[in-house]
PDB file of all heavy atoms in Angstrom:
ATOM      1  N   THR A  65     152.733  28.316 104.582  1.00 86.00           N
ATOM      2  CA  THR A  65     151.379  28.852 104.414  1.00 86.00           C
ATOM      3  C   THR A  65     151.005  29.012 102.943  1.00 86.00           C
ATOM      4  O   THR A  65     149.851  28.803 102.561  1.00 86.00           O
ATOM      5  CB  THR A  65     151.262  30.216 105.119  1.00 86.00           C
ATOM      6  OG1 THR A  65     151.700  30.086 106.475  1.00 86.00           O
ATOM      7  CG2 THR A  65     149.830  30.719 105.110  1.00 86.00           C
ATOM      8  N   PHE A  66     151.993  29.389 102.131  1.00 83.00           N
ATOM      9  CA  PHE A  66     151.752  29.616 100.705  1.00 83.00           C
ATOM     10  C   PHE A  66     152.686  28.702  99.907  1.00 83.00           C
ATOM     11  O   PHE A  66     153.796  29.099  99.552  1.00 83.00           O
ATOM     12  CB  PHE A  66     152.011  31.078 100.347  1.00 83.00           C
ATOM     13  CG  PHE A  66     151.135  32.049 101.087  1.00 83.00           C
ATOM     14  CD1 PHE A  66     151.605  32.706 102.205  1.00 83.00           C
ATOM     15  CD2 PHE A  66     149.838  32.289 100.664  1.00 83.00           C
ATOM     16  CE1 PHE A  66     150.802  33.598 102.893  1.00 83.00           C
ATOM     17  CE2 PHE A  66     149.029  33.180 101.337  1.00 83.00           C
ATOM     18  CZ  PHE A  66     149.509  33.840 102.463  1.00 83.00           C
ATOM     19  N   PRO A  67     152.265  27.467  99.645  1.00 84.00           N
ATOM     20  CA  PRO A  67     153.122  26.501  98.941  1.00 84.00           C
ATOM     21  C   PRO A  67     153.618  26.989  97.590  1.00 84.00           C
ATOM     22  O   PRO A  67     154.667  26.546  97.116  1.00 84.00           O
ATOM     23  CB  PRO A  67     152.217  25.275  98.790  1.00 84.00           C
ATOM     24  CG  PRO A  67     151.205  25.405  99.883  1.00 84.00           C
ATOM     25  CD  PRO A  67     150.965  26.879 100.031  1.00 84.00           C
ATOM     26  N   THR A  68     152.880  27.901  96.951  1.00 80.00           N
ATOM     27  CA  THR A  68     153.325  28.381  95.646  1.00 80.00           C
ATOM     28  C   THR A  68     154.635  29.162  95.752  1.00 80.00           C
ATOM     29  O   THR A  68     155.397  29.234  94.788  1.00 80.00           O
ATOM     30  CB  THR A  68     152.260  29.288  94.996  1.00 80.00           C
ATOM     31  OG1 THR A  68     151.897  30.322  95.908  1.00 80.00           O
ATOM     32  CG2 THR A  68     151.033  28.487  94.608  1.00 80.00           C
ATOM     33  N   VAL A  69     154.891  29.750  96.928  1.00 79.00           N
ATOM     34  CA  VAL A  69     156.165  30.441  97.148  1.00 79.00           C
ATOM     35  C   VAL A  69     157.309  29.437  97.056  1.00 79.00           C
ATOM     36  O   VAL A  69     158.304  29.647  96.359  1.00 79.00           O
ATOM     37  CB  VAL A  69     156.182  31.161  98.507  1.00 79.00           C
ATOM     38  CG1 VAL A  69     157.579  31.686  98.822  1.00 79.00           C
ATOM     39  CG2 VAL A  69     155.182  32.310  98.518  1.00 79.00           C
ATOM     40  N   ALA A  70     157.156  28.323  97.788  1.00 81.00           N
ATOM     41  CA  ALA A  70     158.188  27.288  97.770  1.00 81.00           C
ATOM     42  C   ALA A  70     158.343  26.693  96.373  1.00 81.00           C
ATOM     43  O   ALA A  70     159.464  26.477  95.895  1.00 81.00           O
ATOM     44  CB  ALA A  70     157.837  26.190  98.773  1.00 81.00           C
ATOM     45  N   ARG A  71     157.209  26.446  95.697  1.00 83.00           N
ATOM     46  CA  ARG A  71     157.261  25.832  94.373  1.00 83.00           C
ATOM     47  C   ARG A  71     157.958  26.754  93.376  1.00 83.00           C
ATOM     48  O   ARG A  71     158.802  26.326  92.598  1.00 83.00           O
ATOM     49  CB  ARG A  71     155.837  25.519  93.913  1.00 83.00           C
ATOM     50  CG  ARG A  71     155.746  24.831  92.572  1.00 83.00           C
ATOM     51  CD  ARG A  71     156.392  23.456  92.595  1.00 83.00           C
ATOM     52  NE  ARG A  71     155.726  22.549  93.509  1.00 83.00           N
ATOM     53  CZ  ARG A  71     156.148  21.321  93.750  1.00 83.00           C
ATOM     54  NH1 ARG A  71     157.233  20.860  93.146  1.00 83.00           N
ATOM     55  NH2 ARG A  71     155.505  20.550  94.598  1.00 83.00           N
ATOM     56  N   SER A  72     157.605  28.042  93.412  1.00 78.00           N
ATOM     57  CA  SER A  72     158.220  28.995  92.498  1.00 78.00           C
ATOM     58  C   SER A  72     159.707  29.138  92.779  1.00 78.00           C
ATOM     59  O   SER A  72     160.529  29.160  91.862  1.00 78.00           O
ATOM     60  CB  SER A  72     157.532  30.365  92.613  1.00 78.00           C
ATOM     61  OG  SER A  72     156.193  30.290  92.224  1.00 78.00           O
ATOM     62  N   PHE A  73     160.054  29.252  94.054  1.00 79.00           N
ATOM     63  CA  PHE A  73     161.445  29.431  94.446  1.00 79.00           C
ATOM     64  C   PHE A  73     162.280  28.238  94.021  1.00 79.00           C
ATOM     65  O   PHE A  73     163.404  28.385  93.520  1.00 79.00           O
ATOM     66  CB  PHE A  73     161.519  29.626  95.959  1.00 79.00           C
ATOM     67  CG  PHE A  73     162.886  29.965  96.468  1.00 79.00           C
ATOM     68  CD1 PHE A  73     163.577  31.060  95.977  1.00 79.00           C
ATOM     69  CD2 PHE A  73     163.478  29.209  97.459  1.00 79.00           C
ATOM     70  CE1 PHE A  73     164.835  31.387  96.453  1.00 79.00           C
ATOM     71  CE2 PHE A  73     164.728  29.529  97.944  1.00 79.00           C
ATOM     72  CZ  PHE A  73     165.411  30.611  97.445  1.00 79.00           C
ATOM     73  N   HIS A  74     161.711  27.037  94.174  1.00 84.00           N
ATOM     74  CA  HIS A  74     162.455  25.834  93.804  1.00 84.00           C
ATOM     75  C   HIS A  74     162.608  25.712  92.289  1.00 84.00           C
ATOM     76  O   HIS A  74     163.711  25.473  91.787  1.00 84.00           O
ATOM     77  CB  HIS A  74     161.761  24.590  94.349  1.00 84.00           C
ATOM     78  CG  HIS A  74     162.520  23.328  94.107  1.00 84.00           C
ATOM     79  ND1 HIS A  74     162.379  22.595  92.936  1.00 84.00           N
ATOM     80  CD2 HIS A  74     163.452  22.677  94.842  1.00 84.00           C
ATOM     81  CE1 HIS A  74     163.181  21.552  92.980  1.00 84.00           C
ATOM     82  NE2 HIS A  74     163.840  21.568  94.119  1.00 84.00           N
ATOM     83  N   SER A  75     161.507  25.886  91.563  1.00 84.00           N
ATOM     84  CA  SER A  75     161.551  25.641  90.119  1.00 84.00           C
ATOM     85  C   SER A  75     162.332  26.703  89.368  1.00 84.00           C
ATOM     86  O   SER A  75     163.005  26.402  88.379  1.00 84.00           O
ATOM     87  CB  SER A  75     160.130  25.556  89.559  1.00 84.00           C
ATOM     88  OG  SER A  75     159.446  26.784  89.716  1.00 84.00           O
ATOM     89  N   GLU A  76     162.272  27.954  89.854  1.00 81.00           N
ATOM     90  CA  GLU A  76     162.895  29.055  89.124  1.00 81.00           C
ATOM     91  C   GLU A  76     164.316  29.366  89.582  1.00 81.00           C
ATOM     92  O   GLU A  76     165.087  29.994  88.851  1.00 81.00           O
ATOM     93  CB  GLU A  76     162.042  30.319  89.239  1.00 81.00           C
ATOM     94  CG  GLU A  76     160.638  30.174  88.686  1.00 81.00           C
ATOM     95  CD  GLU A  76     160.614  30.042  87.185  1.00 81.00           C
ATOM     96  OE1 GLU A  76     161.608  30.415  86.530  1.00 81.00           O
ATOM     97  OE2 GLU A  76     159.596  29.558  86.653  1.00 81.00           O
ATOM     98  N   TYR A  77     164.673  28.952  90.810  1.00 83.00           N
ATOM     99  CA  TYR A  77     166.021  29.246  91.291  1.00 83.00           C
ATOM    100  C   TYR A  77     166.774  28.005  91.746  1.00 83.00           C
ATOM    101  O   TYR A  77     167.856  27.717  91.259  1.00 83.00           O
ATOM    102  CB  TYR A  77     165.998  30.273  92.426  1.00 83.00           C
ATOM    103  CG  TYR A  77     167.379  30.433  93.029  1.00 83.00           C
ATOM    104  CD1 TYR A  77     168.396  31.046  92.292  1.00 83.00           C
ATOM    105  CD2 TYR A  77     167.691  29.916  94.276  1.00 83.00           C
ATOM    106  CE1 TYR A  77     169.674  31.143  92.795  1.00 83.00           C
ATOM    107  CE2 TYR A  77     168.963  30.019  94.782  1.00 83.00           C
ATOM    108  CZ  TYR A  77     169.951  30.629  94.053  1.00 83.00           C
ATOM    109  OH  TYR A  77     171.211  30.720  94.557  1.00 83.00           O
ATOM    110  N   ILE A  78     166.214  27.247  92.677  1.00 86.00           N
ATOM    111  CA  ILE A  78     166.950  26.122  93.254  1.00 86.00           C
ATOM    112  C   ILE A  78     167.295  25.078  92.192  1.00 86.00           C
ATOM    113  O   ILE A  78     168.443  24.631  92.089  1.00 86.00           O
ATOM    114  CB  ILE A  78     166.140  25.469  94.396  1.00 86.00           C
ATOM    115  CG1 ILE A  78     165.926  26.468  95.539  1.00 86.00           C
ATOM    116  CG2 ILE A  78     166.865  24.219  94.912  1.00 86.00           C
ATOM    117  CD1 ILE A  78     167.197  26.929  96.206  1.00 86.00           C
ATOM    118  N   ALA A  79     166.313  24.675  91.395  1.00 90.00           N
ATOM    119  CA  ALA A  79     166.562  23.639  90.387  1.00 90.00           C
ATOM    120  C   ALA A  79     167.593  24.068  89.343  1.00 90.00           C
ATOM    121  O   ALA A  79     168.526  23.306  89.046  1.00 90.00           O
ATOM    122  CB  ALA A  79     165.251  23.224  89.728  1.00 90.00           C
ATOM    123  N   PRO A  80     167.494  25.274  88.758  1.00 90.00           N
ATOM    124  CA  PRO A  80     168.529  25.700  87.807  1.00 90.00           C
ATOM    125  C   PRO A  80     169.905  25.819  88.450  1.00 90.00           C
ATOM    126  O   PRO A  80     170.917  25.499  87.808  1.00 90.00           O
ATOM    127  CB  PRO A  80     168.030  27.065  87.320  1.00 90.00           C
ATOM    128  CG  PRO A  80     166.571  27.062  87.553  1.00 90.00           C
ATOM    129  CD  PRO A  80     166.376  26.249  88.798  1.00 90.00           C
ATOM    130  N   GLN A  81     169.937  26.271  89.679  1.00 90.00           N
ATOM    131  CA  GLN A  81     171.209  26.395  90.387  1.00 90.00           C
ATOM    132  C   GLN A  81     171.856  25.023  90.592  1.00 90.00           C
ATOM    133  O   GLN A  81     173.049  24.837  90.348  1.00 90.00           O
ATOM    134  CB  GLN A  81     170.950  27.063  91.731  1.00 90.00           C
ATOM    135  CG  GLN A  81     172.060  26.904  92.756  1.00 90.00           C
ATOM    136  CD  GLN A  81     171.511  27.101  94.143  1.00 90.00           C
ATOM    137  OE1 GLN A  81     171.350  28.234  94.563  1.00 90.00           O
ATOM    138  NE2 GLN A  81     171.199  26.040  94.834  1.00 90.00           N
ATOM    139  N   GLN A  82     171.059  24.059  91.007  1.00 92.00           N
ATOM    140  CA  GLN A  82     171.578  22.711  91.193  1.00 92.00           C
ATOM    141  C   GLN A  82     172.044  22.115  89.870  1.00 92.00           C
ATOM    142  O   GLN A  82     173.054  21.400  89.822  1.00 92.00           O
ATOM    143  CB  GLN A  82     170.510  21.834  91.841  1.00 92.00           C
ATOM    144  CG  GLN A  82     170.232  22.190  93.295  1.00 92.00           C
ATOM    145  CD  GLN A  82     169.162  21.310  93.919  1.00 92.00           C
ATOM    146  OE1 GLN A  82     168.367  20.669  93.216  1.00 92.00           O
ATOM    147  NE2 GLN A  82     169.109  21.287  95.230  1.00 92.00           N
ATOM    148  N   ALA A  83     171.320  22.414  88.805  1.00 94.00           N
ATOM    149  CA  ALA A  83     171.711  21.907  87.482  1.00 94.00           C
ATOM    150  C   ALA A  83     173.077  22.452  87.076  1.00 94.00           C
ATOM    151  O   ALA A  83     173.908  21.719  86.508  1.00 94.00           O
ATOM    152  CB  ALA A  83     170.657  22.277  86.449  1.00 94.00           C
ATOM    153  N   LEU A  84     173.334  23.715  87.368  1.00 94.00           N
ATOM    154  CA  LEU A  84     174.627  24.317  87.025  1.00 94.00           C
ATOM    155  C   LEU A  84     175.744  23.713  87.864  1.00 94.00           C
ATOM    156  O   LEU A  84     176.838  23.424  87.353  1.00 94.00           O
ATOM    157  CB  LEU A  84     174.566  25.829  87.233  1.00 94.00           C
ATOM    158  CG  LEU A  84     173.777  26.603  86.169  1.00 94.00           C
ATOM    159  CD1 LEU A  84     173.490  28.024  86.639  1.00 94.00           C
ATOM    160  CD2 LEU A  84     174.540  26.631  84.848  1.00 94.00           C
ATOM    161  N   LEU A  85     175.485  23.515  89.157  1.00 94.00           N
ATOM    162  CA  LEU A  85     176.491  22.878  90.009  1.00 94.00           C
ATOM    163  C   LEU A  85     176.785  21.452  89.542  1.00 94.00           C
ATOM    164  O   LEU A  85     177.943  21.026  89.514  1.00 94.00           O
ATOM    165  CB  LEU A  85     176.021  22.857  91.465  1.00 94.00           C
ATOM    166  CG  LEU A  85     176.234  24.114  92.288  1.00 94.00           C
ATOM    167  CD1 LEU A  85     175.628  23.932  93.671  1.00 94.00           C
ATOM    168  CD2 LEU A  85     177.715  24.441  92.417  1.00 94.00           C
ATOM    169  N   TRP A  86     175.723  20.727  89.195  1.00 95.00           N
ATOM    170  CA  TRP A  86     175.908  19.351  88.735  1.00 95.00           C
ATOM    171  C   TRP A  86     176.679  19.316  87.417  1.00 95.00           C
ATOM    172  O   TRP A  86     177.494  18.421  87.190  1.00 95.00           O
ATOM    173  CB  TRP A  86     174.557  18.668  88.585  1.00 95.00           C
ATOM    174  CG  TRP A  86     174.653  17.189  88.386  1.00 95.00           C
ATOM    175  CD1 TRP A  86     174.252  16.468  87.297  1.00 95.00           C
ATOM    176  CD2 TRP A  86     175.191  16.237  89.318  1.00 95.00           C
ATOM    177  NE1 TRP A  86     174.510  15.129  87.486  1.00 95.00           N
ATOM    178  CE2 TRP A  86     175.085  14.959  88.713  1.00 95.00           C
ATOM    179  CE3 TRP A  86     175.746  16.339  90.588  1.00 95.00           C
ATOM    180  CZ2 TRP A  86     175.510  13.797  89.340  1.00 95.00           C
ATOM    181  CZ3 TRP A  86     176.178  15.186  91.228  1.00 95.00           C
ATOM    182  CH2 TRP A  86     176.067  13.929  90.600  1.00 95.00           C
ATOM    183  N   GLU A  87     176.447  20.302  86.571  1.00 95.00           N
ATOM    184  CA  GLU A  87     177.192  20.411  85.322  1.00 95.00           C
ATOM    185  C   GLU A  87     178.685  20.567  85.604  1.00 95.00           C
ATOM    186  O   GLU A  87     179.529  19.940  84.943  1.00 95.00           O
ATOM    187  CB  GLU A  87     176.671  21.616  84.532  1.00 95.00           C
ATOM    188  CG  GLU A  87     177.401  21.904  83.236  1.00 95.00           C
ATOM    189  CD  GLU A  87     176.896  23.174  82.564  1.00 95.00           C
ATOM    190  OE1 GLU A  87     175.677  23.404  82.575  1.00 95.00           O
ATOM    191  OE2 GLU A  87     177.727  23.948  82.032  1.00 95.00           O
ATOM    192  N   ILE A  88     179.029  21.397  86.590  1.00 95.00           N
ATOM    193  CA  ILE A  88     180.432  21.604  86.964  1.00 95.00           C
ATOM    194  C   ILE A  88     181.032  20.311  87.522  1.00 95.00           C
ATOM    195  O   ILE A  88     182.157  19.927  87.182  1.00 95.00           O
ATOM    196  CB  ILE A  88     180.551  22.748  87.984  1.00 95.00           C
ATOM    197  CG1 ILE A  88     180.174  24.085  87.334  1.00 95.00           C
ATOM    198  CG2 ILE A  88     181.969  22.818  88.563  1.00 95.00           C
ATOM    199  CD1 ILE A  88     180.053  25.238  88.309  1.00 95.00           C
ATOM    200  N   ILE A  89     180.262  19.639  88.384  1.00 96.00           N
ATOM    201  CA  ILE A  89     180.757  18.396  88.982  1.00 96.00           C
ATOM    202  C   ILE A  89     180.969  17.329  87.912  1.00 96.00           C
ATOM    203  O   ILE A  89     181.996  16.632  87.895  1.00 96.00           O
ATOM    204  CB  ILE A  89     179.777  17.894  90.068  1.00 96.00           C
ATOM    205  CG1 ILE A  89     179.804  18.843  91.275  1.00 96.00           C
ATOM    206  CG2 ILE A  89     180.142  16.477  90.513  1.00 96.00           C
ATOM    207  CD1 ILE A  89     178.715  18.565  92.294  1.00 96.00           C
ATOM    208  N   GLN A  90     180.013  17.203  86.995  1.00 96.00           N
ATOM    209  CA  GLN A  90     180.140  16.201  85.936  1.00 96.00           C
ATOM    210  C   GLN A  90     181.288  16.520  84.982  1.00 96.00           C
ATOM    211  O   GLN A  90     181.943  15.613  84.457  1.00 96.00           O
ATOM    212  CB  GLN A  90     178.825  16.087  85.169  1.00 96.00           C
ATOM    213  CG  GLN A  90     177.720  15.428  85.958  1.00 96.00           C
ATOM    214  CD  GLN A  90     178.116  14.054  86.475  1.00 96.00           C
ATOM    215  OE1 GLN A  90     178.431  13.145  85.709  1.00 96.00           O
ATOM    216  NE2 GLN A  90     178.125  13.900  87.798  1.00 96.00           N
ATOM    217  N   GLU A  91     181.547  17.799  84.791  1.00 95.00           N
ATOM    218  CA  GLU A  91     182.716  18.182  83.987  1.00 95.00           C
ATOM    219  C   GLU A  91     183.993  17.685  84.669  1.00 95.00           C
ATOM    220  O   GLU A  91     184.929  17.209  84.006  1.00 95.00           O
ATOM    221  CB  GLU A  91     182.758  19.700  83.836  1.00 95.00           C
ATOM    222  CG  GLU A  91     183.888  20.209  82.954  1.00 95.00           C
ATOM    223  CD  GLU A  91     183.906  21.729  82.842  1.00 95.00           C
ATOM    224  OE1 GLU A  91     182.831  22.344  82.987  1.00 95.00           O
ATOM    225  OE2 GLU A  91     184.997  22.290  82.601  1.00 95.00           O
ATOM    226  N   GLY A  92     184.012  17.796  86.007  1.00 95.00           N
ATOM    227  CA  GLY A  92     185.162  17.293  86.760  1.00 95.00           C
ATOM    228  C   GLY A  92     185.284  15.785  86.694  1.00 95.00           C
ATOM    229  O   GLY A  92     186.396  15.242  86.616  1.00 95.00           O
ATOM    230  N   VAL A  93     184.138  15.099  86.711  1.00 96.00           N
ATOM    231  CA  VAL A  93     184.141  13.635  86.597  1.00 96.00           C
ATOM    232  C   VAL A  93     184.687  13.220  85.234  1.00 96.00           C
ATOM    233  O   VAL A  93     185.538  12.325  85.124  1.00 96.00           O
ATOM    234  CB  VAL A  93     182.712  13.078  86.808  1.00 96.00           C
ATOM    235  CG1 VAL A  93     182.679  11.574  86.483  1.00 96.00           C
ATOM    236  CG2 VAL A  93     182.243  13.318  88.238  1.00 96.00           C
ATOM    237  N   GLN A  94     184.223  13.879  84.195  1.00 95.00           N
ATOM    238  CA  GLN A  94     184.660  13.532  82.835  1.00 95.00           C
ATOM    239  C   GLN A  94     186.138  13.826  82.605  1.00 95.00           C
ATOM    240  O   GLN A  94     186.807  13.132  81.839  1.00 95.00           O
ATOM    241  CB  GLN A  94     183.801  14.285  81.820  1.00 95.00           C
ATOM    242  CG  GLN A  94     182.355  13.837  81.797  1.00 95.00           C
ATOM    243  CD  GLN A  94     181.454  14.753  80.992  1.00 95.00           C
ATOM    244  OE1 GLN A  94     181.931  15.620  80.268  1.00 95.00           O
ATOM    245  NE2 GLN A  94     180.145  14.571  81.132  1.00 95.00           N
ATOM    246  N   SER A  95     186.667  14.834  83.299  1.00 94.00           N
ATOM    247  CA  SER A  95     188.079  15.170  83.138  1.00 94.00           C
ATOM    248  C   SER A  95     188.983  14.291  83.991  1.00 94.00           C
ATOM    249  O   SER A  95     190.211  14.323  83.835  1.00 94.00           O
ATOM    250  CB  SER A  95     188.313  16.637  83.517  1.00 94.00           C
ATOM    251  OG  SER A  95     188.192  16.818  84.922  1.00 94.00           O
ATOM    252  N   GLY A  96     188.369  13.531  84.908  1.00 94.00           N
ATOM    253  CA  GLY A  96     189.153  12.671  85.795  1.00 94.00           C
ATOM    254  C   GLY A  96     189.565  13.334  87.093  1.00 94.00           C
ATOM    255  O   GLY A  96     190.259  12.727  87.912  1.00 94.00           O
ATOM    256  N   ALA A  97     189.145  14.583  87.308  1.00 94.00           N
ATOM    257  CA  ALA A  97     189.506  15.297  88.533  1.00 94.00           C
ATOM    258  C   ALA A  97     188.613  14.909  89.706  1.00 94.00           C
ATOM    259  O   ALA A  97     189.042  14.890  90.858  1.00 94.00           O
ATOM    260  CB  ALA A  97     189.432  16.804  88.305  1.00 94.00           C
ATOM    261  N   PHE A  98     187.327  14.614  89.423  1.00 96.00           N
ATOM    262  CA  PHE A  98     186.359  14.282  90.466  1.00 96.00           C
ATOM    263  C   PHE A  98     185.908  12.836  90.316  1.00 96.00           C
ATOM    264  O   PHE A  98     185.823  12.310  89.202  1.00 96.00           O
ATOM    265  CB  PHE A  98     185.120  15.174  90.380  1.00 96.00           C
ATOM    266  CG  PHE A  98     185.362  16.627  90.726  1.00 96.00           C
ATOM    267  CD1 PHE A  98     184.433  17.593  90.366  1.00 96.00           C
ATOM    268  CD2 PHE A  98     186.489  17.029  91.422  1.00 96.00           C
ATOM    269  CE1 PHE A  98     184.618  18.928  90.675  1.00 96.00           C
ATOM    270  CE2 PHE A  98     186.698  18.364  91.745  1.00 96.00           C
ATOM    271  CZ  PHE A  98     185.754  19.312  91.368  1.00 96.00           C
TER     272      PHE A  98
END
């Protein structure tokens, strides 16, 4: 009903959270573990 809720939630929480997880995964790739 209120798309701005979804947009705010995604841009302010989901996207940064995914970026941090991806940073961890890429660190594992670079180290040869992942």
